[in-house]
Amino acid sequence: MSTATLPQDARAAEVHALLVDQLRALTSSEQWLSMLEMSRRFHTYSARNVLLLMVQGAQGRVAGYRTWQTIPAEAGGNCQVRKGAKAMTILAPVTRSIEHKDEVTSETTSRRALVGFKAVRVFDETALVSPPTTVEVAPQLLTGNTAQHLYDTLADQVRDAGFRLEDGDCSPANGRTDWTTRIVTVRPDLEPSQRTKTLAHELAHVRLHDPQRSPETRMSRERMEVEAESVAYLVCAHAGIDSATYTVPYVAHWSAGNVELVQQTAERVIDAARNITDGIDQALTPDTAPAPAPTPLPVLRNARRHAETSARAQHPSSKGRVADRDLAETRRRVEADAAVLIGRLAANPDEWAADPEVRDVVRRLAARGMAPSSPRVAVARERLAEVIHHPAAPEPRDLIPSTAPE
């Protein structure tokens, strides 16, 4: 069965499995292992030593004389410090083995204890005959164009979630989600395909990693980045954009090559991607359905007014009054129809078109039981009777409340 004929969730699962396979292939490759080995050989210096190296003008990576001789050089062979190169000084810890005898058991144990520091000479990359070879396992920015309306649709989803979207510098990252200001920022100098993938990545953060939400969202930065980039990968695949050259190294970096971690995120990633792609499909698919019914509240008001006008036309009198019995019966039928309509609209909110405010009003009306026997309708009828017998009084208020705040 081809991917195109699978249900959407099955296609997403298949694409996610492909991502895991690509990650497994990368993290078992010589390229990845060489990068890890080179990283292991370089020391991670303390903040104090970093400051010492800065004031001495260090450039690039720094290592001792013997360590450099184990690093492959760009020109072949291993690196070698140039004769006469100036060394830099850092402080290396001095430890000593200290023995401790337990007075109760008479057992002797030993441990290493820090007893001081000593000056050590190191060299930066400028001191080498040939620079170290570069092992690149880095995300490659996507190039090329993509449909602007795809980016706009993702942007709408960001705004619908209560965030403001801005173009701005967020280097070294391509995008940033700020939960304090609720602003999503995307670099404006990226090519359209990369901007779209970056926005999908930030939208995934918005959907999955709200720090104020349930405790399960409070996870490590590594897991959040794996989830967000995996969602972006699935969204791009749905839109026909191949982002593997960026996503696979990115996920490999943040997962530290842990394929099991990526597999553990599959359910959350696929669910989030499905919600985003459903929104994309809904926004980009031409509307072939019949025109939606008008907003229900005006319809109900117009029906009531039309019924009153018809009753007056059918029962004229010299004083301009309406026959009480016929008008009451007409209003009863309109109110009964309105109650049925409100119940249907409240039960199936996705089958009619209206803004959220109108939906909320319909929901409240249904909850209050706007049926002909409700107390509100009885009071309205009494007020209507008073108006009928006292023409100088003001017109009765609508039985259906407006959408203004109560």
Side-chain angles (χ1 to χ4, degrees), residues 33-178:
L33 297 177
S34 296
M35 185 201 69
L36 293 181
E37 178 62 19
M38 184 176 291
S39 299
R40 184 187 66 79
R41 292 178 184 178
F42 286 103
H43 293 290
T44 301
Y45 294 110
S46 66
R48 178 170 54 182
N49 278 331
V50 169
L51 290 174
L52 283 173
L53 291 170
M54 287 177 59
V55 298
Q56 295 174 85
Q59 298 182 34
R61 287 167 289 188
V62 176
Y65 184 89
R66 296 298 180 189
T67 299
W68 276 123
Q69 292 180 324
T70 67
I71 304 296
E74 191 176 80
N78 290 339
C79 292
Q80 180 63 49
V81 175
R82 187 176 56 253
K83 187 176 180 179
K86 182 180 179 182
M88 300 177 185
T89 302
I90 61 171
L91 295 176
V94 177
T95 62
R96 186 176 63 188
S97 179
I98 299 178
E99 293 186 351
H100 173 72
K101 184 175 182 180
D102 191 304
E103 297 179 356
V104 177
T105 63
S106 298
E107 292 183 359
T108 301
T109 58
S110 63
R111 63 182 180 85
R112 303 294 298 182
L114 176 66
V115 296
F117 292 89
K118 65 178 179 180
V120 175
R121 296 197 309 166
V122 294
F123 300 87
D124 68 357
E125 291 187 31
T126 63
L128 302 177
V129 174
S130 176
T133 185
T134 302
V135 180
E136 285 290 343
V137 185
Q140 302 299 310
L141 292 177
L142 304 185
T143 59
N145 293 321
T146 188
Q148 179 63 36
H149 57 256
L150 175 60
Y151 183 91
D152 293 340
T153 301
L154 293 172
D156 289 340
Q157 293 191 40
V158 169
R159 297 187 187 98
D160 289 344
F163 283 73
R164 188 166 78 249
L165 179 61
E166 295 182 350
D167 286 345
D169 182 21
C170 43
S171 299
N174 297 321
R176 181 177 61 242
T177 297
D178 190 323

Side-chain angles (χ1 to χ4, degrees), residues 177-198:
T177 297
D178 190 323
W179 287 95
T180 303
T181 61
R182 298 188 76 82
I183 295 176
V184 170
T185 306
V186 177
R187 278 175 50 189
D189 58 334
L190 301 172
E191 294 201 24
S193 291
Q194 181 64 42
R195 274 175 56 84
T196 298
K197 191 216 69 68
T198 297

